[in-house]
């Protein structure tokens, strides 16, 4: 950058002030990184002196220097492989200092209990406990510490990368400091913490992943953008709105102007804006490296090949050559095939080849159909399906098609319906219009068939007709029939398939003249002679095996000996033996065959290879073929092999043979090689490596280009511009001997076969079209061609090029390779977060141990980082023989990549390294400490036209009737009053699993039972007024009676969920803790629960001898209390509400009689509850709003409540819905757990429910009771699933409450429907609220949390400055209400916490109003026209407004301030200076794979930990690791530190369906999760 090395303190003050303001705008997210750097550079331009530009050397001098260096680096024969030495040298650096890295943890069988200093109390309200699923015992797996030879810089680099990418400091409750004793971590856990959290980097400063100190976080002040200017889309219509920020003229009515602003469109940014790529705003802008090498040579000149000679006896067509040899040399051998043992199976002479081809041609044209309607016409395409082990049948079929003038399309034999690439082969056949397939009888029998004996329909294939071409099925042609053999022309002769980098299979069409010219060029280049013997190890259906072994050999009457792949696997020396026995002159092999023969040569001491004049290496263009060629020469030179006969070549499916090395004269100098810098190659330039041989690449030439061809080197990206002489580019060829098109794909053809190179000015160099070969290379001295890689193997990472073959070679050079198979490694790249990421997948040997595998993976990471200067994203090992294979045994790269992305790879070991390779994350947001008070922020909001985010429910009203006053003051008196005035009115009906009413309670019955309990308490409890009594009951009417019995006795009831009888170890301690914290003097319960409390099983968990007095209320004497207690004031305590929060904290709040009465009255007004009404409740009745609705509301309002215990739904899922239909319920209340249970269990049974008469059209409101953000996806799924049963989509809504106020929002029967808005997630992380359109990228749908209750006032406050915020800000929800709780009930006496949460004041605005802090973040938006816009178009609005006056219009519209809850403040994650909500990350994780049932996230030692429940088989566990890492990085720009895969039901969930993330964190640290797999992302 321009300011690098500049002392900013020396700059003028005004410049420093402007720079500070720029930094502030960047930290607040009001300017992009690109704009920031542009403005900063402009400010510093006048202060930084410009350095003189460096004069570049002339192109001519550089070219001379380059050629000199090139020749200096030439190597001779017996060259030692430099790359293997380089890898060993790179790894040898790490032997001096050893460091242990954490291994991934797999499930073990032996566990040891983990010691913990402290632990969050378990929650008895776990849904898994309700459903009867048992928790595992606390256990700790023995993790083996792995010692790796790892360099310091390797770890430091990893930590440095992670320090700019991820952080994890949870914001604690309302800014209060909160400390936890550090638990004792296990070896692997503490190991990772030591490596990633405590490694010192530069000057021994610990890495600060959050990039802001705790002091800075604690004192930060958010400056709203409103002070500096309002961004578009952030303002909504309000009482303070102005016209686009311009003050409204005073002559215009405020209401009229307000109406214009409201109707103005668009109020939000147009949808199209959000579909533009915003990577510039997100991705870190790469800084150009001044040391990056750049090409400096002159522009390359096209290279011409030698002229193609004219020979008088060359045939006019290839078919003519076959006819000639079939007639004149009928007994001359054409082909010898080998059996599986490597012995000759049969020999096909030229006479037999000619006669059988004639028969097939005649049969195809005359015998497949009728004379009037033949099946085949000349020019039709025919598939050739023959195994590689039967070359004779393929030869006959190929030449038979040529003689019949139909176009053969050779393909591989499909072995199963799910073969790798089968669908792509189907695409090839479809694009070529193939409907007929030729095959042999043996092959046809081996194809998979249906039960009827027909060939199955392969996936993606068109419907095929199969024809057997064995001799016995062919017809001898008549004497007067002769095949038509025209002179070679531009008609297509055959189609050769080619797979693209993306896996698509296309057909390259080769014309007849191209086929003939290619054979002539190969004959001239290889100096083929008649009668020679050629040993072919390659596939005869394509590439070099077809061009040399089938076409050119027939043209020159060569005897071809074919060695199939199956023979090579059984006998690797078979091809060498054939060369020795037949004294073959030419051999056609791959590097693989050289390696196999070299490994098996010890058994063949008498082998003689002196007859070979040309050993053609088909993949010699691969740079790493050098070592194989040298090693083979070293072994077999003593067996007569001459160094000059090794001839590597370069080929391409589009251009056919590009270049081939001609055999040298005996004793002549060996071909040249060059040692190039891999760093230079990664930037696309050629630099001779003279310094660090560890990062060098040795390349050998592939000879000269083919005769009659013209070659250029063009840039692989963008326009085909000619490269410079020292620049790597793509080789393009102009030749008559190449392919002509992709058959049936004219669009793709033009970009490949009709390329016209241009010069640096952009002008075409001529009119001759060139063909792209897909090869990357350059032209060396003497016009020698050097190939350094292929386009399909090119990996573009951070602007640098890396070749897949190079990475494979580096991985294989990590010796000893005892872990993986050499030929079973796949290297590819996946696009994650705007860049390519390198993935290596290899097959692990069955005998490799887990420790060996992890050590090998670690060493591969180190070697690739050291040699290639690039980080691996993922390294995975899969079991042997599980990677998708090509028909010839190679790895199918495209299928492997597809399986990786879809989670179908099933690895057995995996290592993710995102911290090292993801370097383009944006800089962490640094919140600047700005001295701006809340008053200034408020003024800024007003100036910007934003309204203060506050809302109020309607008035509660005044009660004048004396009876109602008496009834409404205390609930105990309300029950007595109802028992007197309406004793037979049924208040409660309790249902069982069968839907039958097992218990009912009228007003009188409830009152009398409460009196009995009161008498028992006074008699047996020895209680004083105000003592706390624990109510331990299952959901039912007994709980309600016990509650009112306590009120009658003047004691304080405390409802507690009873322990689960089958899981006492986990649930009973919470019961004990509540009893101890509440100082309960007595326990009211049932006889079964009393026996459980005193059982031996309970004694194993708690001390059963210290229980308070336990009274069972099953059999009560008929006694009445001497008197019923009446509280002296309404401010007296009514009951205690205990609950375990989502952060795992046990909190009890005090509810006064006044708060209870006001809350019940507020609910009655909101829901219009009267004595004639019926409601259904399917909730747990132990805390919060669920307890109020279950126990209190019916007594106050007089309506009938039908009680459905959620536990009953486990045995009868339709119970709740059937009850709604049977009783015609209009209003019902449930939890998310109940709704999710119905959605998952009954989603496919709607038709069955309909036949049983279930009708939900009567339901007017279905309210979900929760203390969290509304789960929009679940509520929408519920509405859609049961829409067919009559459920109105408008009926489903949510409520919101918190610990300080049990009911803040509740959707009533009247009022507007709940609204849904879409907010920008990027803005939300900056605590800003920006509305966007539905479907916009990075949009988050949020549903209103219900209508604010009467008497409730809500305001959005900055949790740090405690000042009010505007409606475009995210802040803490504060509430002022008469039914707020009185305070916490605690034994610790934390008065400061009490005052801070329940009786706090704004720092500005209304300093005298007392507020309660909910601990939840949210925002308020005015939504008065949301529903109306849906119903009317803009033209209808105009008509409607014309028919009404302005005043009438404004009175008709009810302004509605909607409260949107975003998440709990305690659970937010401060990562990279931004605020993240766990539910957003968890939603993304749950979408990553079909087998993820549930997920939860938390932070640990500056790492983001993701726990995912696996619903599939355990072999899918490791598939989730990369997918989870990918989705979190893509959608949230965070790097996952640890991925934990667990069984279903491990994530604790309370009765409200809320995840207990802190419980999960405690269990993770204590190693009590029994995980399937734990992956530590390095």
């Amino acid at each position: 950058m321009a300011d690098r090395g500049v002392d900013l303190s020396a700059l003028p003050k005004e410049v420093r002030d402007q720079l500070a303001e720029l930094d502030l705008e960047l930290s607040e997210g009001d300017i992009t990184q690109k704009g920031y750097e542009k403005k900063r550079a402009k400010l510093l331009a006048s202060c930084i002196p410009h350095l003189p530009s460096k004069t570049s050397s002339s192109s001519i001098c550089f070219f001379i220097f380059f050629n000199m260096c090139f020749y200096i680096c030439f190597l001779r024969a017996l060259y030692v492989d430099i790359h293997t030495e380089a890898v060993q040298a790179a790894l040898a650096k790490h032997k001096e200092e050893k460091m242990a890295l954490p291994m991934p943890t797999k499930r073990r069988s032996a566990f040891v209990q983990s010691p913990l200093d402290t632990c969050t109390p378990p929650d008895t309200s776990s849904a898994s406990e309700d459903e009867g699923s048992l928790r595992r015992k606390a256990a700790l797996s023995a993790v083996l510490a792995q010692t790796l030879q790892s360099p310091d810089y390797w770890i430091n680099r990893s930590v440095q990368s992670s320090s700019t990418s991820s952080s994890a400091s949870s914001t604690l409750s309302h800014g209060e400091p909160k400390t936890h004793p550090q638990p004792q971590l296990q070896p692997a856990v503490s190991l990772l913490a030591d490596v990633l959290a405590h490694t010192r980097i530069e000057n021994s400063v610990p890495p600060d992943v959050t990039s802001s100190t705790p002091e800075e976080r604690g004192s930060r002040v958010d400056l709203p953008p409103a002070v500096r200017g309002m961004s578009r889309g952030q303002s909504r219509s309000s009482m303070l709105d102005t016209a686009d920020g311009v003050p409204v003229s005073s002559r215009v009515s405020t209401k009229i102007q307000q109406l214009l602003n409201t109707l103005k469109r668009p109020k939000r940014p147009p949808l199209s804006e959000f579909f533009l790529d915003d990577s510039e705003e997100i991705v870190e802008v790469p800084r150009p490296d001044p040391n990056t090498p750049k090409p400096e040579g002159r522009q390359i000149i096209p290279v011409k090949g030698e002229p193609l000679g004219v020979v008088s006896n060359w045939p006019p067509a290839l078919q003519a050559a076959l006819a000639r040899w079939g007639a004149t040399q009928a007994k001359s051998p054409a082909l010898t095939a080998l059996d599986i043992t490597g012995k000759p199976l049969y020999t096909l002479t030229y006479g037999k080849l000619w006669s059988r081809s004639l028969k097939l041609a005649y049969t195809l044209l005359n015998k497949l159909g009728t004379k009037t309607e033949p099946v085949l016409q000349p020019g039709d395409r025919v598939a050739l399906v023959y195994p590689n082990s039967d070359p004779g049948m393929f030869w006959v079929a190929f030449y038979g098609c040529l003689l019949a003038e139909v176009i053969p399309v050779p393909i591989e034999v499909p072995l199963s319906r799910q073969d790798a690439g089968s669908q792509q082969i189907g695409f090839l056949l479809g694009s070529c219009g193939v409907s007929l397939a030729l095959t042999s009888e043996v092959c046809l029998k081996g194809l998979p068939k249906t039960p009827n004996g027909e060939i199955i329909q392969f996936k993606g294939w068109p419907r095929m007709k199969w024809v057997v071409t064995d001799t016995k099925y062919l017809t001898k042609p008549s004497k007067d029939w002769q095949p038509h053999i025209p002179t070679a022309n531009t008609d297509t002769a055959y189609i050769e398939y080619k797979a693209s980098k993306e896996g698509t299979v296309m057909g390259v069409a080769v014309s007849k003249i191209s086929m003939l010219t290619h054979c002539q060029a190969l004959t001239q280049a290889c100096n083929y002679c008649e009668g020679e013997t050629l040993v072919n190890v390659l596939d005869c259906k394509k590439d070099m095996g077809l061009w040399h072994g089938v076409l050119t050999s027939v043209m020159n009457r060569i005897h071809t000996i074919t060695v199939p792949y199956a023979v090579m696997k059984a006998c690797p020396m078979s091809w060498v033996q054939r060369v020795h026995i037949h004294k073959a002159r030419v051999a056609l092999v791959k590097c693989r065959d050289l390696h196999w023969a070299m490994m098996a040569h010890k058994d063949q001491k008498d082998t003689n290879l002196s007859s070979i004049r040309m050993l053609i290496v088909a993949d010699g263009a691969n740079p790493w073929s050098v070592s194989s060629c040298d090693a083979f020469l070293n072994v077999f030179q003593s067996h007569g092999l001459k160094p000059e006969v090794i001839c590597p070549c370069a080929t391409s499916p589009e251009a056919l043979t590009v270049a081939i090395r001609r055999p040298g004269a005996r004793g002549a100098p060996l071909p040249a090689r060059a040692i190039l810098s891999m760093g230079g190659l990664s930037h696309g330039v050629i630099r001779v490596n003279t310094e660090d041989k560890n990062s060098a690449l040795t390349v050998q030439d592939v000879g000269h280009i083919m005769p009659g061809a013209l070659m250029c080197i063009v840039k692989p990206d963008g326009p085909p511009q000619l490269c410079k002489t020292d620049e790597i580019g793509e080789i393009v060829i102009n030749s008559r001997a190449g392919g002509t098109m992709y058959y049936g794909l004219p669009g793709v053809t033009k970009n490949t076969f009709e390329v016209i190179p241009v010069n640096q000015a952009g002008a075409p160099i001529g009119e001759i079209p060139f063909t792209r070969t897909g090869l990357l290379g350059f032209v060396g001295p003497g016009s020698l061609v050097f190939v350094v890689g292929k386009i399909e193997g090119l990996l573009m990472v951070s602007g640098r090029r890396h070749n897949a073959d190079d990475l494979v070679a580096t991985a294989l050079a990590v010796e000893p390779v005892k872990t993986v198979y050499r030929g079973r490694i796949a290297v590819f790249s996946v696009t994650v977060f705007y860049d390519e990421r390198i993935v290596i997948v290899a097959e692990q040997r069955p005998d490799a141990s887990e420790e060996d595998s992890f050590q090998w993976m670690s060493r591969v990471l180190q070697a690739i980082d050291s040699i290639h200067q690039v980080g691996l994203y993922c390294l995975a090992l899969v079991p042997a023989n599980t990677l998708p294979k090509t028909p010839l045994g190679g790895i199918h790269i495209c299928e492997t990549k597809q399986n990786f992305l879809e989670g179908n790879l099933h690895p057995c070991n995996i290592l993710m390294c995102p911290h090292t390779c993801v370097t383009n994350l944006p800089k962490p947001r640094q919140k600047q400490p700005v001295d701006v008070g809340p008053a200034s922020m408020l003024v800024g909001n007003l100036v910007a036209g934003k309204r203060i985010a506050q809302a109020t429910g309607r008035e509660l009203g005044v009660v004048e009737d004396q009876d109602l006053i008496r009834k409404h003051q205390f609930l105990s008196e309300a029950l007595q009053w109802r028992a007197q005035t309406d004793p037979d009115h049924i208040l409660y009906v309790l249902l069982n699993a069968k839907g039958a009413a097992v218990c009912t309670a009228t007003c009188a019955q409830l009152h009398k039972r409460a009196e009995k309990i009161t008498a028992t308490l006074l008699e047996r409890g020895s209680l004083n007024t105000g003592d706390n009594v624990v109510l331990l009951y299952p959901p039912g009417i007994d709980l309600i009676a016990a509650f009112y019995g306590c009120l009658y006795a003047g004691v304080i009831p405390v409802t507690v969920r009873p322990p689960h009888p089958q899981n006492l170890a986990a649930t009973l301690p919470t019961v004990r803790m509540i009893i101890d914290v509440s100082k309960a003097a007595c326990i009211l319960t049932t006889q079964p629960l009393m026996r459980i409390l005193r059982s031996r099983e309970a004694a194993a968990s708690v001390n059963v001898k210290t229980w308070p007095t336990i009274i069972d209320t099953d059999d009560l004497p008929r006694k009445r209390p001497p008197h019923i207690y009446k509280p002296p004031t309404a401010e007296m305590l009514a009951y205690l509400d205990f609950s375990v929060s989502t952060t795992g904290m046990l909190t009890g709040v005090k509810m006064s009689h006044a708060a209870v009465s006001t809350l019940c009255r507020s609910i009655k007004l909101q829901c219009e509850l009267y004595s004639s009404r019926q409601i259904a409740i399917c909730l747990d009745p132990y805390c919060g709003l669920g307890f109020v609705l279950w126990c209190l509301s019916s007594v106050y309002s007089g309506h009938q409540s039908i009680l459905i215990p959620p536990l009953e739904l486990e045995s009868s899922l339709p119970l709740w819905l059937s009850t709604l239909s049977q009783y015609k319920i209009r209003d019902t209340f449930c939890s998310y757990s109940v709704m999710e249970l119905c959605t998952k269990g009954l989603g496919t049974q709607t038709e069955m429910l309909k036949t049983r008469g279930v009708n939900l059209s009567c339901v007017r409101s279905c309210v979900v009771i929760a203390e969290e953000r509304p789960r929009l996806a679940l509520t929408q799924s519920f509405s859609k699933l049961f829409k067919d049963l009559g459920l109105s989509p408008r009926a489903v809504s949510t409520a919101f409450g918190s610990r300080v106020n049990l009911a803040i929002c509740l959707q009533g029967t009247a009022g507007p429907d709940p609204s849904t808005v879409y907010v920008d997630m990027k803005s939300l992380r900056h605590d800003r609220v920006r509305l966007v359109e539905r479907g916009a990228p990075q949009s988050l749908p949020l549903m209103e949390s219900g209508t604010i209750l009467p008497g409730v006032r809500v305001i959005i406050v900055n949790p740090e400055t405690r000042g009010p915020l505007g409606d475009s800000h995210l802040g803490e929800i504060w509430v002022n209400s008469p039914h707020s709780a009185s305070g916490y009930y605690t034994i610790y006496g934390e008065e400061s916490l009490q005052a801070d949460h329940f009786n706090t004041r704004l720092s500005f605005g209304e300093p005298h109003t007392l507020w309660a802090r909910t601990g939840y973040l949210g925002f308020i938006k005015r939504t008065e026209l949301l529903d109306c816009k849906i119903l009317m178009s803009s033209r209808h609005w105009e008509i409607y407004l014309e028919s009404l006056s302005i005043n009438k219009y404004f009175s008709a519209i009810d302004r509605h301030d909607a409260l949107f809850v975003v998440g709990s403040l305690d659970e937010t994650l401060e990562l990279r200076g931004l605020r993240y909500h766990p539910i957003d990350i968890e939603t993304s994780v749950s979408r990553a794979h079909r087998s993820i049932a549930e997920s939860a996230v938390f932070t640990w030692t500056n790492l983001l930990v993701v726990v995912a429940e696996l619903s599939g088989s355990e072999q899918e566990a490791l598939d989730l690791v990369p997918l989870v890492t990918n989705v979190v990085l893509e959608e949230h720009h965070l790097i996952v530190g640890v991925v934990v895969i667990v069984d279903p039901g491990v994530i604790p969930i309370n009765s409200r369906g809320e995840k207990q993330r802190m419980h999960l964190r405690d269990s993770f640290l204590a190693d009590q999760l029994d995980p399937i797999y734990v992956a530590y992302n390095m």
Side-chain angles (χ1 to χ4, degrees), residues 361-384:
Y362 180 77
T363 302
L364 292 178
L365 293 178
N366 299 283
K367 297 299 180 180
L368 294 185
T370 62
K371 290 185 179 181
T372 57
E373 294 183 3
V375 174
L376 285 178
Q377 298 280 0
D380 289 347
R381 279 72 57 201
V382 175
L384 305 188

Side-chain angles (χ1 to χ4, degrees), residues 1403-1453:
S1403 58
F1404 179 82
E1406 297 182 32
H1408 302 296
T1409 304
L1410 293 180
W1411 300 87
R1413 303 180 62 175
T1414 64
Y1416 285 85
L1417 295 174
F1419 62 91
I1420 292 174
K1421 283 293 180 181
R1422 178 153 289 180
T1423 58
E1424 68 272 22
L1425 296 178
L1426 274 179
D1427 300 317
C1428 301
K1429 286 181 181 178
I1430 298 173
L1431 300 176
M1432 295 188 182
S1433 64
S1434 58
R1435 177 56 186 159
H1436 291 158
W1437 272 109
E1438 296 175 7
I1439 298 173
Y1440 180 65
L1441 293 180
E1442 289 174 0
S1443 64
L1444 293 176
S1445 65
I1446 294 299
N1447 291 331
K1448 287 183 179 179
Y1449 168 72
F1450 271 96
S1451 62
I1453 297 298

Side-chain angles (χ1 to χ4, degrees), residues 97 140 154 210 304 429 432 459 462 505 565 580 617 628-629 631 680 852 986 1129 1147 1169 1312 1344 1417 1469 1514:
E97 183 176 351
L140 172 66
W154 177 260
T210 61
K304 290 188 72 172
L429 299 177
C432 295
K459 185 179 180 181
V505 177
Y565 174 68
H580 167 73
V617 185
S628 297
C629 294
D852 291 341
I986 298 177
T1129 66
T1147 54
L1169 299 178
E1344 178 186 354
L1417 295 174
L1469 310 176
E1514 288 196 5

Side-chain angles (χ1 to χ4, degrees), residues 1001-1038:
T1002 63
C1003 298
Q1005 289 171 344
L1006 183 61
H1007 170 66
K1008 290 178 181 179
R1009 183 157 180 81
E1011 285 186 325
K1012 292 179 184 179
I1013 294 175
T1014 302
T1016 303
L1017 276 174
L1018 297 178
E1019 180 181 344
R1020 297 170 52 188
S1022 302
L1023 301 176
N1024 298 318
T1025 301
D1027 284 349
N1028 297 337
V1029 175
V1030 166
L1031 309 184
L1032 206 62
Y1033 289 92
I1037 297 179
D1038 286 344

Side-chain angles (χ1 to χ4, degrees), residues 974-988 1000-1012 1037 1041 1044 1048 1120 1124 1195:
L975 179 57
Q976 297 173 54
W977 177 77
R978 292 198 178 277
Q980 294 171 3
T981 58
D982 195 1
D984 297 327
H985 175 64
I986 298 177
L987 286 179
Y988 295 102
T1000 60
T1002 63
C1003 298
Q1005 289 171 344
L1006 183 61
H1007 170 66
K1008 290 178 181 179
R1009 183 157 180 81
E1011 285 186 325
K1012 292 179 184 179
I1037 297 179
Y1044 287 99
Y1048 285 180
R1120 297 184 61 183
I1124 294 180
V1195 172

Side-chain angles (χ1 to χ4, degrees), residues 870-1093:
V870 66
L872 285 186
Y873 182 67
C874 178
L875 180 55
L877 300 183
V878 299
N881 298 317
T882 57
L883 286 180
K885 304 287 195 305
T886 61
L888 295 183
I891 302 301
H892 202 294
I893 303 294
C894 298
E895 286 285 324
T896 302
K897 178 178 178 179
Q898 191 71 16
N899 288 344
F900 175 81
L901 293 175
E902 292 178 354
N904 296 325
L905 199 60
H906 307 329
C908 54
N909 278 299
I910 197 165
L911 196 57
M912 298 287 299
C913 306
H915 291 278
T916 304
C917 66
V918 179
T919 58
N920 62 334
L921 283 174
K923 287 183 178 179
R925 178 192 181 198
Q926 297 181 357
K927 299 182 180 180
Q928 304 291 338
V930 183
D931 295 331
V932 177
S936 302
M937 297 174 69
L938 179 62
V939 172
N941 282 321
L942 298 177
V943 170
K946 299 190 179 80
R947 56 188 298 273
I948 298 304
Q950 59 182 343
T952 306
R954 56 179 173 149
E955 295 294 332
L956 273 173
V958 180
V959 182
E960 298 180 353
D961 190 348
Q962 290 298 321
D963 286 339
L964 292 180
I965 292 177
R966 183 167 55 85
K967 182 189 72 169
H968 290 163
Q969 193 168 13
F970 303 110
L971 270 183
S972 57
E973 294 186 349
L975 179 57
Q976 297 173 54
W977 177 77
R978 292 198 178 277
Q980 294 171 3
T981 58
D982 195 1
D984 297 327
H985 175 64
I986 298 177
L987 286 179
Y988 295 102
V989 178
L990 179 67
L991 302 184
N992 61 8
K994 297 181 180 180
V998 293
C999 184
T1000 60
T1002 63
C1003 298
Q1005 289 171 344
L1006 183 61
H1007 170 66
K1008 290 178 181 179
R1009 183 157 180 81
E1011 285 186 325
K1012 292 179 184 179
I1013 294 175
T1014 302
T1016 303
L1017 276 174
L1018 297 178
E1019 180 181 344
R1020 297 170 52 188
S1022 302
L1023 301 176
N1024 298 318
T1025 301
D1027 284 349
N1028 297 337
V1029 175
V1030 166
L1031 309 184
L1032 206 62
Y1033 289 92
I1037 297 179
D1038 286 344
L1039 174 67
I1040 305 171
F1043 175 82
Y1044 287 99
C1046 290
L1047 294 187
Y1048 285 180
V1051 294
I1052 311 301
V1054 183
T1055 54
V1056 179
R1057 175 188 302 278
H1060 198 289
Q1062 295 174 334
N1063 197 12
L1064 292 178
T1067 57
L1068 193 56
T1070 301
V1071 176
R1072 182 77 212 201
M1073 185 175 296
I1074 296 177
I1075 292 173
D1076 293 341
V1077 170
S1078 64
K1079 297 181 179 179
C1082 178
I1083 300 175
L1084 291 181
T1085 185
T1086 62
Q1087 288 182 1
L1089 285 173
M1090 184 173 68
R1091 286 193 292 267
I1092 289 176
L1093 293 180

Side-chain angles (χ1 to χ4, degrees), residues 507-525:
V508 178
V510 180
S511 66
K512 297 176 180 178
I513 187 66
S514 297
M515 178 176 65
L516 181 65
T517 306
H518 188 216
C519 292
Q520 295 170 352
L522 286 177
T523 301
Q524 178 175 330

